[in-house]
Amino acid sequence: MSDQTDSLARIPVTALRGVGPKGAERLAKLGVHSVQDVLFHLPFRYQDRTKIVPVGSLRPGDQAVIDVTVDHADIRFGKRRSLLVQVSDGTGAMILRFFHFTAAQKSALARGVRLRCFGEVRNGPQHYELVHPEYQHVADDESIHVEQALTPIYPTTEGFHQLSWRDLIAQALQRLGKEGALDELLPSGLLSSFDLPTLSDAIRLLHRPPPELAKALMSEEGHPAQHRLAFEELLAHQLSMRLMRDAHRQQTAPVFDPTIFELPNVQQLLGALAFDLTGAQRRVIDEIAKDTQQPYPMLRLVQGDVGSGKTIVAAIAALQAIEAGYQVALMAPTEILAEQHRVNFENWFSSLGIQVGWLSGRLKGKKREAMMQQVSQGDLPMIVGTHALFQESVEFANLGLVIVDEQHRFGVHQRLALRSKGKSVTPHQLIMTATPIPRTLAMTAYADLDLSVIDELPPGRKPIKTVLVSEQRQGEVIERVRLACESGRQAYWVCTLIEESELLQAQAAEQTSEMLTEALAPLKVGLVHGRMKAPEKADVMQQFKSGELHLLVATTVIEVGVDVPNASLMVMANAERLGLSQLHQLRGRVGRGAQDSYCVLLYHPPLGAVARERLEIMRQTNDGFVIAQKDLEIRGPGEVLGTRQTGEVQFRLADLIRDQHWVEPVQKAADQLIAKKSEHIQPLIQRWIGEKQNYSAV
Ligand code: ADP
Ligand code: MG
């Protein structure tokens, strides 16, 4: 903090030219109040318009300026009318493709005309293409003129477009160093120990990068200026989540009996099970018991690969709460999964005299009211259901524990919603996920949660052998299904479809099921899909479970939770359409019994590079953590966490792959700042997260 200059955090945006009260209001909605906020509106990528690239050296995905001559221009009447302009520069030829164009535009693009174009290179039917490039006509003798600095691309927002942001940022940069400064909020030792640039240098560089830095800035490793800011951003997030967690701990939660394995109900249940708990299950149960003897609410995420036995852990945690006289809510993302939990819990709890309530979205009218009343009167100790449980209208008499299965499908806000259902006390929360989240990502995304890992599968599980087969050999695969079923095994045939429409998916599954019924006669083929009514689905699942059906044709509705140990073969049609985590979840439906299990990934050739990579990974490993790490690398954290839509874990600049190595130093720095109650904590959070942080919702 400087003596002569003012902190730009204290200079309002209205100090900038062109920002009146209206503009300030719109900026405020985006969380931009000060000149500092303008400077922290960072480019999310760069375009290199500083040099002209020979057409012959372009690769798909490149963004480039080219200097070319028109060979010919034609209008194509296909699915979509388009103007195709073939251009070349002596090193190669490519196509400019326009879907919107005027007659005048077309005639101006005559043979021999010279053009300067900028766009992103894509694969086309014959040549590489630029779709709707920016272009300008160039006179033959005109000398080549290109940009001097890299062109920063800003996230644009309603009312503030690229050019407005560039103008605001130019003005803000002028103030930086002259009459204003940015407060350095990182501990000073840190900057020197990691050899990081100062804040002002980093900010200036990211907004005005010299062309020679193009490679570094756009590379996977990034530039020290990006690292500098990524560190700060990750730190701000870490601090904010830690404060949220601290705020959460200010609340009162019920205290349960810590000797969980001694509880009569628990002993009775364990005695009745056909198996012993694994060491990992026992350890996680102990971790839960430690949390629930504290007077503040537990917030624990239990990770365990598919089939690791999370459900019984949840059941024992539930018994602890029920013994203490509290209600337990268990919710799942799909009806099938919730139904399966209900069946399991009823099996386990009925002999203990514990009634299990069932609340689904499909429960309507009087029945629903009756169920709600039982819940609100506290007559039901255990309630299982789907999202419907989240609805405001559900009142619990004394909710002591909330269990959320498959957390990655829920956002934090949904997590919060149920938390507030507890009356005098805030319930403990246990979140279970089969998506193995790589450690660095978990530490960042779930810094407000404690983490338990069930890192051991029940004994006797065998690795699933996975093969890739082109759909041209579907006939052989059907024969393989026949052999398996004739020798007493059962199999799944999963239909996938790109379309979001449940109807189309259902139709495709129906057709497949008809085809397989015919091909496999007299074997019995069943069908489940998302358009069926819950009881119908449950009926088919029951028939499959009892062995009446040999083959179950299903859409991806069976993704989570289905447990039929005799099913040892899974065929996934159009496997190339599925992401890694979905493939892994689905595959986890087999390999649950004593016999060897197989997974056939049927693909539609030719396979693209990314799809091939995914399927190869599936072939090579059964390890959920390896798969998750690959998934993270291929798709990025937003997709892996399933939060792309909900907008969580979205960083302005930090990149959880590139910046993985920062996660631990960031935690240490957060520890330090919190320990000495640093006055930099709030300004850091304000700078990066602003008013988005909402403690009151906790
Ligand atoms: P997930 O972690 O995928 O939810 P489940 O809880 O559905 O796994 O458990 C998968 C299967 O393993 C179930 O049939 C369950 O009864 C069984 N199981 C759970 N724990 C053990 C154990 N310790 N030993 C043997 N089988 C177990
Ligand atoms: Mg499960």
Side-chain angles (χ1 to χ4, degrees):
M1 294 184 209
S2 157
D3 294 339
Q4 299 88 27
T5 54
D6 226 356
S7 164
L8 291 176
R10 282 190 294 274
I11 302 183
V13 269
T14 44
L16 300 178
R17 209 174 347 95
V19 185
K22 267 262 158 58
E25 216 173 278
R26 265 184 288 153
L27 284 167
K29 282 206 189 107
L30 306 169
V32 175
H33 305 280
S34 65
V35 174
Q36 164 177 287
D37 293 337
V38 171
L39 288 173
F40 277 81
H41 191 77
L42 294 163
F44 65 105
R45 60 189 175 87
Y46 297 94
Q47 290 173 349
D48 187 355
R49 301 177 182 225
T50 65
K51 57 180 184 299
I52 292 188
V53 182
V55 169
S57 70
L58 292 174
R59 291 288 165 268
D62 288 354
Q63 294 194 334
V65 181
I66 55 173
D67 187 24
V68 289
T69 308
V70 174
D71 299 330
H72 55 82
D74 296 308
I75 294 180
R76 279 292 153 77
F77 300 90
K79 252 190 248 162
R80 245 177 122 183
R81 198 174 76 110
S82 50
L83 171 63
L84 302 186
V85 184
Q86 184 179 313
V87 295
S88 59
D89 69 351
T91 68
M94 70 185 306
I95 299 288
L96 314 180
R97 186 185 286 272
F98 299 88
F99 296 111
H100 310 282
F101 53 92
T102 59
Q105 219 176 343
K106 170 173 191 282
S107 50
L109 293 169
R111 183 182 172 79
V113 165
R114 198 175 141 202
L115 299 174
R116 173 84 33 85
C117 313
F118 177 84
E120 183 174 315
V121 181
R122 297 205 200 156
N123 267 315
Q126 258 114 47
H127 293 283
Y128 288 156
E129 303 190 346
L130 298 181
V131 178
H132 274 275
E134 294 170 34
Y135 71 93
Q136 67 198 85
H137 291 257
V138 189
D140 263 341
D141 50 354
E142 204 172 306
S143 68
I144 293 173
H145 131 98
V146 288
E147 303 277 341
Q148 293 307 304
L150 296 179
T151 309
I153 307 296
Y154 294 100
T156 53
T157 44
E158 206 173 324
F160 278 88
H161 302 297
Q162 211 50 245
L163 291 178
S164 323
W165 277 115
R166 278 186 204 161
D167 174 50
L168 289 182
I169 283 157
Q171 292 188 57
L173 283 173
Q174 270 177 4
R175 290 186 172 245
L176 178 60
K178 275 201 202 140
E179 68 254 58
L182 289 171
D183 302 331
E184 188 63 78
L185 300 172
L186 291 184
S188 53
L190 207 79
L191 290 174
S192 50
S193 67
F194 288 113
D195 199 15
L196 292 169
T198 68
L199 181 59
S200 309
D201 287 350
I203 287 277
R204 209 184 295 280
L205 186 132
L206 291 183
H207 287 295
R208 292 279 176 275
E212 65 273 16
L213 291 187
K215 255 222 169 93
L217 281 170
M218 294 191 256
S219 71
E220 275 173 25
E221 298 82 54
H223 182 273
Q226 288 165 316
H227 304 161
R228 161 69 176 79
L229 290 171
F231 188 99
E232 206 182 290
E233 183 174 25
L234 289 170
L235 180 59
H237 274 266
Q238 188 71 218
L239 288 168
S240 138
M241 295 190 86
R242 297 270 279 271
L243 293 191
M244 275 206 259
R245 187 164 97 166
D246 291 349
H248 191 66
R249 289 196 167 164
Q250 299 303 311
Q251 300 179 313
T252 309
V255 175
F256 300 154
D257 186 340
T259 56
I260 192 165
F261 286 109
E262 323 266 281
L263 296 174
N265 274 344
V266 173
Q267 292 212 327
Q268 204 183 327
L269 175 61
L270 290 178
L273 288 178
F275 53 79
D276 291 328
L277 294 180
T278 62
Q281 284 170 320
R282 287 186 161 268
R283 176 172 42 74
V284 171
I285 291 167
D286 275 330
E287 285 165 357
I288 293 167
K290 267 204 197 93
D291 284 355
T292 52
Q293 59 183 290
Q294 305 298 334
Y296 53 81
M298 160 173 79
L299 261 185
R300 184 167 286 280
L301 179 69
V302 174
Q303 276 184 24
D305 209 345
V306 229
S308 62
K310 295 184 288 297
T311 321
I312 188 70
V313 170
I316 290 168
L319 286 180
Q320 189 197 25
I322 293 167
E323 284 263 354
Y326 287 90
Q327 286 175 302
V328 178
L330 166 61
M331 63 193 66
T334 68
E335 192 100 2
I336 284 202
L337 183 53
E339 176 80 32
Q340 176 128 3
H341 281 320
R342 178 179 69 96
V343 172
N344 277 330
F345 275 73
E346 274 176 357
N347 281 342
W348 288 332
F349 285 9
S350 61
S351 59
L352 306 176
I354 298 171
Q355 221 191 325
V356 178
W358 168 238
L359 204 54
S360 93
R362 302 189 195 225
L363 198 63
K364 298 267 151 60
K366 287 238 157 52
K367 279 195 188 153
R368 184 179 180 82
E369 266 165 43
M371 182 62 78
M372 301 284 227
Q373 203 177 356
Q374 280 187 289
V375 174
S376 65
Q377 289 171 350
D379 299 342
L380 283 172
M382 177 82 219
I383 304 104
V384 178
T386 57
H387 296 73
L389 270 186
F390 288 109
Q391 278 167 13
E392 291 302 323
S393 54
V394 188
E395 284 288 336
F396 294 87
N398 55 348
L399 187 58
L401 172 68
V402 176
I403 304 167
V404 185
D405 198 8
E406 306 298 340
Q407 140 76 15
H408 65 292
R409 292 171 178 238
F410 292 97
V412 160
H413 303 293
Q414 283 164 306
R415 245 201 273 150
L416 297 176
L418 207 87
R419 217 186 273 175
S420 63
K421 294 288 187 198
K423 281 188 174 164
S424 51
V425 291
T426 304
H428 294 289
Q429 272 195 71
L430 188 63
I431 298 146
M432 304 192 294
T433 178
T435 307
I437 301 157
R439 210 173 98 83
T440 48
L441 185 52
M443 280 161 71
T444 310
Y446 295 135
D448 59 336
L449 304 180
D450 293 303
L451 192 63
S452 290
V453 184
I454 307 185
D455 51 6
E456 183 185 350
L457 289 177
R461 295 278 161 85
K462 292 184 180 166
I464 303 155
K465 296 198 182 76
T466 299
V467 292
L468 314 188
V469 178
S470 157
E471 68 182 18
Q472 287 154 346
R473 292 169 49 204
Q474 177 168 298
E476 294 166 42
V477 174
I478 295 175
E479 274 319 295
R480 189 157 174 180
V481 172
R482 175 197 299 287
L483 283 176
C485 293
E486 282 175 353
S487 65
R489 312 280 156 66
Q490 287 168 284
Y492 296 99
W493 189 291
V494 183
C495 305
T496 57
L497 211 75
I498 265 181
E499 272 84 354
E500 291 291 294
S501 149
E502 256 189 1
L503 178 65
L504 289 175
Q505 292 205 8
Q507 283 171 351
E510 268 161 23
Q511 282 166 13
T512 305
S513 135
E514 278 165 27
M515 182 272 286
L516 290 169
T517 304
E518 199 167 306
L520 291 170
L523 293 169
K524 291 260 179 309
V525 178
L527 170 67
V528 280
H529 59 65
R531 299 269 295 183
M532 286 161 62
K533 296 228 160 56
E536 251 184 292
K537 267 191 273 190
D539 201 36
V540 176
M541 292 307 304
Q542 193 43 47
Q543 287 176 35
F544 187 61
K545 210 163 179 168
S546 69
E548 279 168 62
L549 294 172
H550 300 99
L551 174 70
L552 184 67
V553 176
T555 52
T556 46
V557 293
I558 62 156
E559 182 181 347
V560 277
V562 178
D563 189 30
V564 181
N566 190 47
S568 62
L569 170 61
M570 169 167 290
V571 180
M572 286 187 233
N574 297 109
E576 77 279 357
R577 289 173 176 169
L578 297 179
L580 270 176
S581 90
Q582 222 182 353
L583 286 165
H584 179 64
Q585 300 285 322
L586 279 166
R587 183 172 61 180
R589 301 305 112 212
V590 294
R592 299 187 159 216
Q595 68 276 40
D596 282 334
S597 287
Y598 299 89
C599 173
V600 178
L601 302 174
L602 263 186
Y603 64 86
H604 180 81
L607 271 183
V610 176
R612 172 166 298 277
E613 188 184 350
R614 275 201 303 264
L615 299 185
E616 272 300 321
I617 292 165
M618 289 299 292
R619 200 174 61 77
Q620 285 159 12
T621 184
N622 277 290
D623 184 329
F625 277 90
V626 173
I627 290 173
Q629 182 66 36
K630 294 284 182 197
D631 203 21
L632 182 63
E633 285 162 23
I634 296 176
R635 289 194 303 160
E639 295 271 2
V640 172
L641 292 169
T643 53
R644 206 172 149 118
Q645 287 80 20
T646 60
E648 288 170 55
V649 208
Q650 270 189 6
F651 296 104
R652 294 193 205 180
L653 180 126
D655 171 336
L656 284 179
I657 314 280
R658 182 191 67 199
D659 303 321
Q660 290 189 48
H661 63 285
W662 276 150
V663 171
E664 281 195 42
V666 158
Q667 283 212 313
K668 283 209 189 99
D671 290 343
Q672 273 177 23
L673 291 175
I674 289 172
K676 62 177 196 204
K677 298 201 169 65
S678 164
E679 56 188 22
H680 287 178
I681 293 176
Q682 281 309 332
L684 269 171
I685 293 175
Q686 177 62 34
R687 176 181 280 175
W688 288 98
I689 300 166
E691 57 264 41
K692 269 192 284 173
Q693 170 137 2
N694 187 356
Y695 297 104
S696 62
V698 178

